[in-house]
Structure formats: C-alpha cells, structure tokens
Amino acid sequence: MGNKRVSKLRKVLQEQGLEAMLITSGINRRYLSGFTGSSGYVLVTGDECYLLTDFRYMTQAADQTDGLKIVEHGAKFIETVRELLPSGGNVRIGFEQDDVAFSAYTAYAEALKPAVLVPVSKAVENLRTFKDEEELATMQRAADLADATFNHILKVIKPGMTERDVDLEMEFFMRTHGATSSSFDTIVASGERSALPHGVASSRVIQGNEFVTFDFGALLDGYCSDLTRTIALGEPAPKLKEIYDIVLEAQLHTLAHIKPGMTGRECDALARDIITRYGYGAEFGHSTGHGLGMEVHEWPRLSKLSDEIMQPGMVVTVEPGIYLPGIGGVRIEDDVVITENGISLLTHSSKEYTVL
C-alpha cells in the first residue's frame, strides 16, 4: 500500500523540483505508511522512503508498515532527518506548509542547513482526493454504520430526552458496532436550535411538535462517514414542512445531476438555485458539500468559490439546508462517490418526511 502512494508522491516531488519531502501531518503519515501511532514522520527521497518514529512505536511500526524503512529517530527527530538526506544534505526539501507551525519551521530550517526548506501545499491531500477500491469499501462500511445508527435512534428518541442523551446513545451505538469514535462532535439540534447549522448537542430537552436535525458520522478503520437527517416529532409548524420539502427537492436534484467534469461551483449551484428560487437563498448560508475521507472535511469543495473539477473516485457530501432563526431548520445530507457518469450513494437512510 505504502509503495504505490509513495511513488505517486515522488512524481509530485519531481514535478516541483524537490529532492525530498518531509511529511509531518499525522493523517498524511498514516495514509502513506499505514502506521497509526500518535508520533512519527515520513521522509521521502528520490530512492528511499523512511518512517521515523521513537522507541515506543518500533514494534507497532514494523507490524503496520509495508515498503518503508523504519528508523528510530534521536532526541531531535530533525537531526535524524538531516542524516538521511541524500547528497551531503545540500538539497531542496519540501515541507507541509499547512501543517508546520512557524516556530517549527524556523527550527527545521536551522537544523537542516545546507538543505533548503520549500513550502508545499496539499501534496498528499491531492492524492487522498482519489479513493481506491479498498478505501471505498471502508467508507461504505462507515456509511452503513451511520445509516444503522440513524435507524437505531429513531426507535429511541422521544420528547423529554435531552439532545445530549440522544448524542450519547448514538455514540454508544457507533462504538459498540466497531467505530473508533464519532467522526466529529454529533449535532443534535431540536426545536429552534435546528436553525443552528452547527448546533452541537446541548442540554436542551426535546419537546413535542418540533424538528430535530441529526448530523453525525462514524470514524471506522481510519475513514469517516457524515450523514444528516431532519425529522419531525408530533405536529410541527407548517412552515417547517414547507422548507423540508424544498431542501429535499434541492438535495435530490443535486444528486441526480452531479457528474464528473463539473466544477465545485456548478455542483453548489444545483442546490442553491432551487433554494433561491423558492426565496430562501439567504437562509442557505453554507456550501452544498465537501470532500470526505480520512478527515471529515477534505478536498474538493462544493461551494460558490470552488473551481475544482469533480472526477471519478472522489467522495463528497451533498447537504443543502434552510435555517429560519427562532423557528427551526432543515438539512439533508448524503455521502456520494463520483463515478464515470454520475454518482453512487454510500448512505441510504430514508429521506421521506418522517413524523414520530
């Protein structure tokens, strides 16, 4: 696994005229090496690839890593990096500009002389944008678990529970069914709090005759799912049913029309134009979706600002919403894979207007 990904990264280095690249991001380290420990670095040179870690992890690294040389680094890992650099260390070495703090950069620059540190953006993240079959199979399992969790919570939720009670029940279900954790802080937003796009579960007691939005996912074997459904308890205000139907129409329209070759902006417009046509454009204040994988927000973006082109193998969310302050809100979200001619759904929970 490491080998194929590392050789793709090498091509990127050659294109950028770099002799080496230092990977400091934990997620990118795991992607390239398979190593899940909390501390370590990957150094890629023209003909070698090293996983540097400390004595605590030498056994684990050997078990998890294939195709990388495992090196136990010294008290200062950067000095071990310098020793491993080719041609007497007089090279251009890339570093992850989105991951390295300024204080770390100055320390690395000093320690690695005469090597020159070159900031690189998204070298590994761009590789991660395209999921292979093994990754897609894992993501399908993470999505299946999100669906199962939603199905479970519909049987449990009732007025009188707090949002946190519901969150805990969902977390317990995911963990007992194989998840490492939830993939982000679960949003359980009931009543007027459903108008908060990021209404993380609170101590609010869920009432009758209101909407509840669930936005949650499972982190399973290193990959995330991200599902949103909005349901009704009792008989909510007719206005809420109206916006539910609009959001569902926008979401289904977007799913029906996304295809490879479109830009993120064009995908975003599929949902936004419908919501705007109904007069709620100003109440849809976030983007239509985002990439999903080892992190819950990855590239590409489905937003007004995105020129990224949808291509087969990308996994994205589609999640339009409408939020009416003081009344309530609706968001509906699925995870999809971009295919050769459209999309394939990973999440399958019902989107019919559900009244409990």
Side-chain angles (χ1 to χ4, degrees), residues 145-216:
L145 180 48
D147 282 334
T149 305
F150 180 64
N151 189 41
H152 170 71
I153 206 64
L154 289 182
K155 297 175 188 148
V156 175
I157 189 172
K158 56 183 189 293
M161 293 176 79
T162 67
E163 293 171 350
R164 281 209 189 97
D165 293 337
V166 173
D167 166 30
L168 187 61
E169 181 66 35
M170 293 167 75
E171 180 86 19
F172 188 77
F173 186 90
M174 288 190 272
R175 296 281 286 271
T176 49
H177 289 79
T180 306
S181 65
S182 49
S183 48
F184 54 93
D185 288 343
T186 296
I187 293 169
V188 180
S190 59
E192 69 284 353
R193 288 190 81 254
S194 62
L196 304 174
H198 271 214
V200 171
S202 77
S203 55
R204 183 185 187 277
V205 176
I206 296 166
Q207 320 286 320
N209 303 331
E210 61 184 27
F211 269 18
V212 184
T213 295
F214 307 89
D215 182 352
F216 65 99

Side-chain angles (χ1 to χ4, degrees), residues 4-51:
K4 205 187 235 172
R5 294 175 182 179
V6 168
S7 46
K8 284 183 180 164
L9 181 57
R10 272 212 184 90
K11 284 203 185 91
V12 177
L13 299 193
Q14 286 160 1
E15 285 161 15
Q16 306 211 9
L18 300 171
E19 283 81 29
M21 173 96 194
L22 176 64
I23 302 298
T24 49
S25 145
I27 298 235
N28 290 341
R29 173 181 73 231
R30 178 172 182 173
Y31 178 78
L32 292 169
S33 69
F35 173 61
T36 62
S38 69
S39 177
Y41 307 86
V42 170
L43 176 67
V44 181
T45 65
D47 42 14
E48 290 290 357
C49 183
Y50 305 97
L51 174 68

Side-chain angles (χ1 to χ4, degrees), residues 98-155:
D98 300 314
D99 183 71
V100 175
F102 186 73
S103 57
Y105 164 76
T106 51
Y108 299 169
E110 189 55 38
L112 291 175
K113 282 177 177 172
V116 177
L117 275 174
V118 180
V120 177
S121 179
K122 300 208 287 282
V124 180
E125 286 83 348
N126 289 337
L127 302 179
R128 280 172 41 203
T129 303
F130 297 95
K131 312 301 192 267
D132 62 30
E133 278 177 28
E134 196 181 326
E135 290 179 287
L136 290 174
T138 304
M139 293 195 72
Q140 183 62 70
R141 293 207 313 280
D144 290 345
L145 180 48
D147 282 334
T149 305
F150 180 64
N151 189 41
H152 170 71
I153 206 64
L154 289 182
K155 297 175 188 148

